[in-house]
Amino acid sequence: MGLTITYIIIAIYSIALVLIFFYSLAQLNLLVNYLWYKRRNQEAPKYNLLDPKEIPFVTIQLPIYNEEYVVERLLENIAKIEYPSSKLEIQVLDDSTDDSVHDTAKRIEALKETGLDISHIRRENRSGYKAGALKEGLKIAKGDFIAIFDADFLPDADWLKKTVIYFKDEEIGVVQTRWGHINRDYSTLTRIQAFALDAHFTLEQVGRNAKGHFINFNGTAGIWRKECILDAGNWEGDTLTEDLDLSYRAQLKNWKFKYLEDVETPAELPVVISAARSQQFRWNKGGAENFRKTVLSVITSRNISFKTKFHGVMHLLNSSMFLCVFIVAFLSIPMLYIKNMYGHLGWIFEVTSFFVVSTIILFVCYWFTYKSIQGSSFDNFVDYIKLFFTFFSVALGFSLHNSMAVLEGHMGKRSEFVRTPKFNINSLTDSWKGNKYLTKKLSPNMILEAMLMIYFLFGMYSAIPLNDFGLFPFHFMLFLGFGFVFFNSLTAKA
């Protein structure tokens, strides 16, 4: 291996490590913010819903697309929302192209007969996908406030009473609630998804919101002030994460966001890895698309602080960390050999301590988020350790797939909005077999993931002749992670 190539590998590897380290420092700062916020007693002006004059008109929007398995559950649940019927309307924004349309129409008619103000809104095409459907419904929405729920969400009956009250503060444009998980313990896949989402909905959302940094509406389980949507430029379908896009445009226009950690909105996690893949791809590519679209506006804005700009940039780069992680992982084996071939470059390898420190920081941060939901007993801590390293391994296994999504986003490659199939999984005995919305195609990434599993097995073997076991645990986790993703992708086709 020539010295020029060696130095290029070292440079790329080191830059990726430093970026991961900065990301972990940002997460540590969010933890400090989170702990500070939890010790404060927050008072805010609220609507008095006992006074008929203060009850605002709310429109609930339910964007759906081919949701045969969950639409009945969704409508039954939304019909139980406790709110004055004269101040509530429900829009079912149905872009479905299958037979579920007819069943949905029948259920909506039945609900109308109970006195519910509910309408079935259909479009001729899916222009703009979910963003287009929300925008279409907004044109005729009666409400001053717009609550949005995806098809797999099941808000409690008193959800509106807990959220709409905060809009008495006229500067608040959005109230977002924390996602819950009705099938958290269904499988290893659902447990690690819940683990990652819990970290976002505690550490990140609270940590940013506590200090007035930009947060994002999460696409569902939140409520918008209609005026805020219109003032920010309305929904746009030019990214795969229209929620993040509109959130940043609104906050750049000085609208405040209110995050309610204590209000949980239960939802269903994907139980099949192909569904998790499509969701991860959309979220990560959309994040990169929004970085491309919005970062200059954030950096050049005159009405936000430097610290808010820093956290905004790191937030928009969240998905890009997968690319950094994949680079570090892939180059770690060449680096192992470089270390043993060029003894005079040994000092450079002290930079690898950045990755160890980053991992420790994330371990500490995620523990605080885990214990806030699961409890802080010794048994819970032991469970946390196992879950953290399981999550870490599987996240590494997803790094190739997510890196490709990020690269497409940064390069501006457009792609169709691919929905996440829903399964109506409520218990451990429910099955996803036979779901007609599951993709039958094998992902081309699977072959590469199998090759990477073997590649990191070779990395583990390399430690023996080189007598250097420093990266062995890392390569072992990579081997397990890519193996998990590959073999679960195979069985999901069964």
Side-chain angles (χ1 to χ4, degrees), residues 69-132:
Y69 300 101
V70 294
V71 69
E72 180 179 7
R73 182 181 72 180
L74 170 70
L75 293 176
E76 286 179 354
N77 186 79
I78 292 298
K80 296 175 184 176
I81 291 285
E82 298 168 352
Y83 204 74
S85 58
S86 61
K87 293 295 184 82
L88 178 68
E89 75 160 339
I90 300 168
Q91 293 181 336
V92 182
L93 309 175
D94 190 359
D95 280 353
S96 299
T97 56
D98 66 356
D99 293 340
S100 66
V101 173
H102 307 297
D103 291 334
T104 300
K106 291 177 182 177
R107 293 188 175 102
I108 289 172
E109 286 302 316
L111 289 174
K112 279 183 178 179
E113 292 177 3
T114 68
L116 203 61
D117 183 0
I118 183 170
S119 57
H120 191 196
I121 299 173
R122 300 270 297 149
R123 299 191 294 162
E124 292 183 0
N125 59 66
R126 290 182 68 207
S127 174
Y129 304 108
K130 180 180 175 181

Side-chain angles (χ1 to χ4, degrees), residues 237-248:
D238 57 346
T239 73
L240 293 180
T241 45
E242 72 293 323
D243 45 5
L244 179 60
D245 173 33
L246 185 59
S247 296
Y248 266 69

Side-chain angles (χ1 to χ4, degrees), residues 229-240:
I229 297 175
L230 298 174
D231 183 52
N234 215 324
W235 296 103
E236 294 180 357
D238 57 346
T239 73
L240 293 180

Side-chain angles (χ1 to χ4, degrees), residues 479-493:
F479 169 74
L480 290 179
F482 280 104
F484 177 90
V485 172
F486 172 67
F487 285 111
N488 275 272
S489 297
L490 279 183
T491 56
K493 306 298 175 185

Side-chain angles (χ1 to χ4, degrees), residues 260-471:
L260 303 178
E261 183 188 10
D262 295 332
V263 180
E264 180 183 43
T265 309
E268 180 184 323
L269 294 161
V271 295
V272 180
I273 203 158
S274 61
R277 275 181 183 276
S278 64
Q279 187 178 72
Q280 287 284 309
F281 190 90
R282 188 174 71 249
W283 287 352
N284 285 288
K285 181 172 180 177
E289 288 175 328
N290 274 287
F291 175 84
R292 194 167 181 263
K293 179 178 180 178
T294 308
V295 69
L296 283 179
S297 297
V298 172
I299 292 172
T300 58
S301 175
R302 295 183 178 181
N303 60 359
I304 56 177
S305 67
F306 173 80
K307 199 168 184 180
T308 296
K309 289 180 182 181
F310 171 76
H311 277 289
V313 172
M314 295 306 295
H315 185 193
L316 292 169
L317 279 175
N318 263 6
S319 63
S320 299
M321 287 303 110
F322 276 106
L323 181 58
C324 293
V325 167
F326 181 74
I327 289 171
V328 168
F330 189 78
L331 294 182
S332 63
I333 295 177
M335 288 291 287
L336 185 63
Y337 280 90
I338 289 171
K339 180 181 179 182
N340 284 271
M341 288 172 63
Y342 301 101
H344 67 286
L345 297 176
W347 61 272
I348 295 175
F349 292 88
E350 293 180 9
V351 78
T352 59
S353 62
F354 277 120
F355 192 77
V356 176
V357 173
S358 299
T359 304
I360 292 171
I361 290 173
L362 294 177
F363 180 86
V364 173
C365 290
Y366 287 4
W367 163 241
F368 279 93
T369 66
Y370 181 86
K371 75 174 185 176
S372 72
I373 296 174
Q374 302 298 324
S376 58
S377 68
F378 178 76
D379 287 343
N380 281 335
F381 182 67
V382 173
D383 289 339
Y384 167 74
I385 293 173
K386 292 186 288 187
L387 187 56
F388 177 83
F389 286 103
T390 302
F391 158 74
F392 206 113
S393 297
V394 176
L396 291 171
F398 268 104
S399 63
L400 170 70
H401 178 77
N402 291 343
S403 292
M404 290 183 171
V406 166
L407 286 172
E408 284 192 12
H410 283 303
M411 291 187 297
K413 181 181 177 182
R414 300 300 300 274
S415 58
E416 183 180 354
F417 184 102
V418 179
R419 63 180 285 280
T420 304
K422 314 301 190 306
F423 302 89
N424 198 10
I425 298 293
N426 300 289
S427 69
L428 297 179
T429 58
D430 291 336
S431 174
W432 54 267
K433 297 287 186 180
N435 187 303
K436 69 182 186 181
Y437 300 127
L438 281 176
T439 177
K440 304 299 181 184
K441 296 186 295 184
L442 292 174
S443 166
N445 287 354
M446 286 175 55
I447 298 172
L448 294 175
E449 286 158 355
M451 292 171 65
L452 285 166
M453 178 182 66
I454 297 168
Y455 176 67
F456 291 113
L457 181 63
F458 169 74
M460 293 162 58
Y461 164 78
S462 298
I464 300 172
L466 296 175
N467 195 29
D468 187 343
F469 291 88
L471 289 172

